[in-house]
Amino acid sequence: MFEYAPAPESVRPQIKEHYGLFVDGKFTDAADGADFKSVNPSTEEVLFTVAEAGAADVQNSVAAARRAQEAVWGPMSGAERGKYLFRIARLLQEKAREFAVAESLDNGKPIKETRDFDVPTAAQHFFYHAGWADKLAYAGLGSDPRPLGVIGQVIPWNFPLLMLAWKIAPALACGNTVVLKPAETTPLTALMFAELCQEADLPPGVVNILPGAGGTGAALVDSAVDKIAFTGSTAVGRAIAKSIAGSKKRLTLELGGKAANIVFDDAAVDQAVEGIVNGIFFNQGHVCCAGSRLLVQESVADEVLARLKDRVTTLRVGDPLDKNTDIGAINSAEQLERIAALTDAGSGEGAEVWQPDCDLPDRGFWFRPTVFTGVQQSMRIAKEEIFGPVLSVLTFRTPDEAIAKANNTPYGLSAGVWTEKGSKILWAAERLRAGVVWANTFNQFDAASPFGGLKESGYGREGGRQGLEAYLDV
């Protein structure tokens, strides 16, 4: 392995000591004065404190969003709304480096990921949906599509800024206003986005940001919004669906996954190995659609595993703000505990665990990239979403067996297929029960492409023309 000199990121964003809630265009403390701390997962140091929204704050935010939607944003022409979205997109690009560093500090992910993926893709979603704002009548969703009203949105901690963009951009383009709750452990870039909304002169109340924990999210779900959009765990998604059942609220859910990454014997092995690594170790495995189950054909299994282990030994684990880092910190102590518990369960059930020999920092939440072989479908590591840098390897003999094993899961968010035969790609994609199927690649996203799952991975689509429908009354 090459020796790399440290390449630390020199930019440091101006992080305030305390952030308030963003309600009706202004920052304010919580009605009950509650706040909490946000911690840097790579050092365990407190970054800042932030107000924690309660039920009264949720109610005030929804009321502000309702006023803005009915008086300003809803009646505004699509062309004018699009100008605001274009302005937001340009500001995100101008401040891209600052947002990238802030995301790495608050989340723990490597700077090269926030710099090259998170922030650019977030800006792309605002550019893309800005273009749709005055063309909704031509989206194939009826000649007179109308906004739903006020949208309550709850996002996870794995892609804080990107998930915000996935949710807010289409909602605003369609004429809705938003009350968004960022994850408790990663509110920083959402609050910086609120400041950006002020700089863009977005009308007050159009976007409201309410940091908080589960209680804040529950209050938002129970509030007088017209739709809930949630990304997170299947268990919470199921609880939200039960909570609003029988009401008139719309709901879209993007939930967990246990994606199969299928490598056939005619695949380009080096290319497949890169795709496997990207599929499971990107963002420390904190990805709903991560390729956490590798299904490799028996005849090439030994070769693929040997090359995979060689490649994993070159991954660099460490300081997220070092541009050489491939794998950063686990987002929280709680998530690290879950990853460790499921890894122990895999070893206890008889799977063989392999990890590269690499030094981990003394402070922070860290976990080595892990590969399990000898995995059976009945094992927890093959069934449960680990949401960490842990890969379970299974083998198959025939294509039919590969599809059967891939579909043997309650989840259905994504899958990958590696083969040089286009006919085999189409054959497999038709049979895989997954919302997204990648061919000879993995974790590729575009604002123009719809994303979403089947089965317990949720329903509804985000992105593309199809994603607009969830925010329109058609």
Side-chain angles (χ1 to χ4, degrees):
M1 180 176 178
F2 293 110
E3 293 295 329
Y4 286 82
E9 171 59 60
S10 59
V11 169
R12 289 295 187 273
Q14 295 296 317
I15 299 176
K16 299 177 181 177
E17 292 185 3
H18 178 79
Y19 287 89
L21 316 175
F22 186 64
V23 180
D24 206 13
K26 301 182 294 293
F27 284 95
T28 180
D29 284 330
D32 60 3
D35 60 21
F36 61 95
K37 299 175 181 177
S38 187
V39 174
N40 181 339
S42 67
T43 64
E44 301 181 60
E45 296 175 352
V46 175
L47 285 171
F48 56 91
T49 61
V50 59
E52 182 174 9
D57 302 303
V58 171
Q59 185 175 354
N60 292 337
S61 297
V62 173
R66 183 72 64 190
R67 291 193 299 270
Q69 201 282 324
E70 293 179 351
V72 181
W73 197 250
M76 187 182 293
S77 70
E80 289 299 310
R81 290 199 302 269
K83 291 178 183 179
Y84 282 102
L85 293 179
F86 277 124
R87 191 178 303 169
I88 289 171
R90 288 193 298 269
L91 286 170
L92 269 177
Q93 287 185 320
E94 291 171 11
K95 300 174 183 293
R97 196 168 179 185
E98 183 179 354
F99 270 91
V101 175
E103 196 78 301
S104 289
L105 286 169
D106 205 27
N107 176 278
K109 64 174 65 183
I111 184 67
K112 69 178 184 180
E113 291 182 5
T114 61
R115 177 197 65 201
D116 298 341
F117 177 72
D118 293 49
V119 179
T121 311
Q124 181 194 60
H125 274 267
F126 279 98
F127 274 121
Y128 175 79
H129 288 95
W132 269 117
D134 63 346
K135 304 175 186 67
L136 298 174
Y138 305 98
L141 303 173
S143 59
D144 185 28
R146 291 162 293 174
L148 294 175
V150 178
I151 313 298
Q153 301 177 329
V154 181
I155 60 174
W157 47 260
N158 56 338
F159 293 96
L161 181 67
L162 182 55
M163 292 295 100
L164 176 150
W166 277 29
K167 295 284 191 290
I168 289 182
L172 298 192
C174 293
N176 305 283
T177 54
V178 167
V179 180
L180 179 137
K181 190 200 87 68
E184 180 182 7
T185 60
T186 54
L188 179 56
T189 48
L191 296 165
M192 291 173 59
F193 180 82
E195 295 175 331
L196 189 145
C197 289
Q198 290 179 320
E199 188 173 347
D201 290 327
L202 194 69
V206 173
V207 170
N208 304 271
I209 308 291
L210 298 183
T216 306
L220 182 56
V221 170
D222 292 338
S223 69
V225 296
D226 300 296
K227 170 187 164 63
I228 293 292
F230 172 77
T231 296
S233 72
T234 295
V236 176
R238 188 180 295 115
I240 292 173
K242 289 181 179 179
S243 175
I244 70 172
S247 73
K248 294 182 179 180
K249 294 176 187 175
R250 305 282 186 91
L251 177 64
T252 51
L253 298 171
E254 195 263 279
L255 308 176
K258 194 68 179 176
N261 212 353
I262 304 172
V263 179
F264 289 104
D265 58 4
D266 61 344
V269 175
D270 287 339
Q271 180 186 6
V273 166
E274 289 302 310
I276 294 164
V277 169
N278 179 52
I280 185 58
F281 299 124
F282 174 66
N283 196 33
Q284 297 74 253
H286 299 333
V287 186
C288 296
C289 56
S292 55
R293 290 184 299 148
L294 173 61
L295 302 181
V296 57
Q297 200 152 11
E298 282 186 3
S299 57
V300 294
D302 290 343
E303 180 186 5
V304 170
L305 283 173
R307 295 201 198 180
L308 174 62
K309 289 179 180 180
D310 285 343
R311 179 66 178 90
V312 173
T313 59
T314 69
L315 297 177
R316 295 175 294 277
V317 182
D319 180 9
L321 292 184
D322 190 322
K323 301 182 187 73
N324 294 321
T325 295
D326 297 301
I327 298 179
I330 302 303
N331 180 252
S332 66
E334 180 183 15
Q335 184 60 27
L336 178 60
E337 183 179 352
R338 172 173 172 78
I339 294 168
L342 282 168
T343 302
D344 291 342
S347 299
E349 290 180 324
E352 182 178 346
V353 64
W354 177 88
Q355 295 176 323
D357 184 17
C358 59
D359 295 328
L360 299 181
D362 295 329
R363 297 191 63 189
F365 313 127
W366 306 93
F367 199 84
R368 290 181 177 85
T370 301
V371 177
F372 275 104
T373 54
V375 178
Q376 303 299 317
Q377 293 188 91
S378 59
M379 294 179 179
R380 290 182 65 190
I381 55 172
K383 295 191 300 182
E384 297 183 29
E385 184 179 36
I386 301 174
F387 221 61
V390 181
L391 178 66
S392 298
V393 182
L394 302 92
T395 60
F396 65 90
R397 293 183 178 179
T398 67
D400 286 331
E401 182 186 356
I403 300 300
K405 286 186 173 180
N407 288 338
N408 186 24
T409 174
Y411 298 109
L413 188 55
S414 65
V417 179
W418 299 85
T419 173
E420 289 192 341
K421 292 184 173 64
S423 58
K424 191 179 293 183
I425 290 170
L426 296 174
W427 177 88
E430 185 178 11
R431 288 159 176 79
L432 287 166
R433 295 288 294 152
V436 177
V437 178
W438 285 292
N440 293 328
T441 188
F442 210 91
N443 278 338
Q444 297 297 313
F445 302 91
D446 191 277
S449 178
F451 182 86
L454 306 174
K455 300 189 286 186
E456 290 189 15
S457 290
Y459 44 81
R461 293 293 179 267
E462 293 183 296
R465 180 184 62 82
Q466 296 85 348
L468 297 170
E469 186 175 2
Y471 291 99
L472 291 169
D473 184 9
V474 294

